[in-house]
Amino acid sequence: MSQSVLHFALVGNPNCGKTALFNCLTGARAKVANYAGVTVEKRSGPLAGLSRPAELIDLPGTYSLYVASPDEQVARRVILGEMPGEVRPDALVAVVDATNIKLGLRLVLELKALGLPMILVLNLADAARQRGINIRTDLLAERLGMPVVETVAVRRNGVAALQAALRTLALDLKSRTGSLGLPERGEAVESLYARIDALLADCVEAPASAPRWQDRLDALVMHPVLGLVILAATLLLMFQAVFAWAAPLMDGIEALVGWLGGQVGALLPEGILHDFVVDGLIAGMGSVLVFLPQIIILFAFILALEDSGYLPRAAFLLDRMMRGVGLSGRSFIPLLSSFACAVPGIMSTRSISNPHERLVTIMTAPLMTCSARLPVYALVIGAFVPQRTVWGLFNLQGVTLFCLYVAGIASAALVAWVCRRRQGKSESFPLLLELPNYRWPNLYHFLLGLKERAWIFLRRVGTIILALSIVLWFLATFPGAPEDAALPAIEYSFAGKLGALMQPLFEPLGFSWQMCIALIPAMAAREVAVSTLATVYAVGGGDAALGSTLAHSWSLPVALAYLAWFVYAPQCLSTIAVVRRETNSRRATLIFTAYLFALAYVAALLVRHLAAAWA
Ligand SMILES: Nc1nc2c(ncn2[C@@H]2O[C@H](COP(=O)(O)OP(=O)(O)OP(=O)(O)O)[C@@H](O)[C@H]2O)c(=O)[nH]1
Ligand SMILES: [Mg+2]
């Protein structure tokens, strides 16, 4: 007899550890972080160890089946089998945050009314125990009429017991098809809560309130003035670290790349192949690779902050300002993920139900500084900004980087504000963002996240950056200079000609033809601006380290103008493509691209002239 696949779904409030459990049970590596709304789309994986083939589905968090925002609707529709082309789950694994059982039980009782077989998981059992919360699981199981398992998903505690419960449940489970109607809400909310209170009174012993230190910390962190100071200091520290801590590692990588170039160069006879391998391949990739330590340090901070519970508080703090410009807490997660890369950021705007707010979020997401800009920023800052201490504490390079990030954020706010003025006053959206408990970042997730980030970067270096470096080297090498050449050879090459063609357009900004040519491959990946500059300046006869070459070739105002250009310019074809896909409008995509290029041009022009006037 062939057996059909069983489907189990993980259901629960946001941030109760569903995805952490999903990863334990399926061996997946989906993103886990300490704020509500991390999972926005359903995801499934194979559930091994049962007597029959089975699949586990991870869903976005939801508070209730009866009120639903768009991402909560995903959960509801999957559970009820209303998703076209998807089978309805045969059984549910309800996950409840053991430190917040009351909220979780409301959903559990709603789910139970659906009549599907269920297991209740009390996750975060470690945090509950620490707070002196004591749960009589066997009594709770008896009263609810379903198995109850305590787990600590991040340490895999209780996962074996959960697997055993799943096995037992699977034994006499029949897979069914067809959708399930949402039953009429049978009772008033008051009586639902009365039932929950009775359950809690019998099964849970808990101290009266959450620990005091969390409240004290909140009072500090969310104080309207002090909170902003803390936020600014945190970010400054982060950018500080990017420069201060990375330096020795970067020197190491640079030395390694130089050594490799020397070794390989010695093996190859002088000539075109030698130049291609040493100047095109090794120098091109190496010039980007040196930024790996900075990328890792940046993400170490972001990942630690993500898991600590601080970020939603920062959003809460900024909510007033966000609301002032027509955005709300709903835009927070898309904008936050845009700091890594605008592409997933723009995709996650799907959870915003208001179309205008969604469009504004899409339009402003690329102004959040993505990690591909870091190498460009770091190169130019390293070359032009002295390593000086300012205000007795901060390093001028870190402060400059901080300013570039803030320039992006402030501009996004301005753009959102202008859009809102044009749209007219819309209803104000309340911030529906739950404040999670503070928590020490989980080391395993932290390291896993870092590894993933490093890998994404290395893969970019090994694929797109490598490919573009090769193309660029050819463009910069051929055709060769004539016999009676008066200028450096590169000026006769395709790259030189193309740069010369573009240069008049960028003349007002002071960009040299080399700076212009670097903008073209940077459309495919911003980092390539760095390797292109390395190639065009190396091939042009310079041999010193790229930074000092630039410091000699560009003036400070022009270097700052180049930075300003990169803050705004939509130098990324994948972002433009994803905007086209998500807005499904050619007009919106065109406006998006045009307005960002225009902004980049104006900003660079202003910066150049202001800096020149100042100096
Ligand atoms: N101490 C402790 N932390 C946990 C446990 N399970 C999950 N976490 C942490 O809780 C946070 C939320 O975990 P996720 O798995 O992302 O939660 P989720 O329910 O999938 O959240 P959404 O997708 O936003 O609905 C993360 O910071 C985890 O590291 C646990 O058992 N103990
Ligand atoms: Mg999740």
Side-chain angles (χ1 to χ4, degrees), residues 446-566:
F446 175 77
L447 293 177
L448 203 67
L450 269 193
K451 194 180 120 200
E452 197 165 293
R453 280 292 148 190
W455 182 233
I456 290 175
F457 179 73
L458 290 175
R459 226 173 25 213
R460 272 170 82 86
V461 170
T463 53
I464 185 160
I465 292 172
L466 169 67
L468 288 168
S469 300
I470 293 176
V471 172
L472 224 103
W473 181 84
F474 274 101
L475 290 179
T477 308
F478 298 105
E483 288 285 316
D484 54 347
L487 296 168
I490 191 169
E491 308 232 353
Y492 298 95
S493 70
F494 291 119
K497 299 230 175 69
L498 198 60
L501 211 66
M502 288 171 75
Q503 209 255 337
L505 183 63
F506 291 94
E507 179 68 55
L509 312 183
F511 292 3
S512 66
W513 69 262
Q514 290 97 331
M515 296 165 88
C516 295
I517 193 85
L519 298 180
I520 293 186
M523 286 299 295
R526 285 184 174 89
E527 302 96 324
V528 185
V530 170
S531 58
T532 306
L533 289 171
T535 306
V536 289
Y537 280 106
V539 178
D543 54 4
L546 183 57
S548 57
T549 308
L550 297 188
H552 286 110
S553 328
W554 304 355
S555 70
L556 179 64
V558 170
L560 294 178
Y562 208 52
L563 286 177
W565 173 272
F566 271 91

Side-chain angles (χ1 to χ4, degrees), residues 231 310-322 329 332-333 431 433:
L231 178 61
Y310 175 64
L311 290 181
R313 290 171 169 85
F316 211 84
L317 197 65
L318 298 174
D319 176 56
R320 269 185 99 154
M321 293 180 228
M322 283 172 76
F332 167 69
I333 288 163
L431 178 61
L433 205 60

Side-chain angles (χ1 to χ4, degrees), residues 18-20 31 38-39 58-61:
K18 296 176 297 299
T19 303
K31 182 168 175 77
V38 177
T39 309
D58 182 26
L59 293 172

Side-chain angles (χ1 to χ4, degrees), residues 24 238 317 389 560:
C24 287
M238 167 165 135
L317 197 65
T389 305
L560 294 178

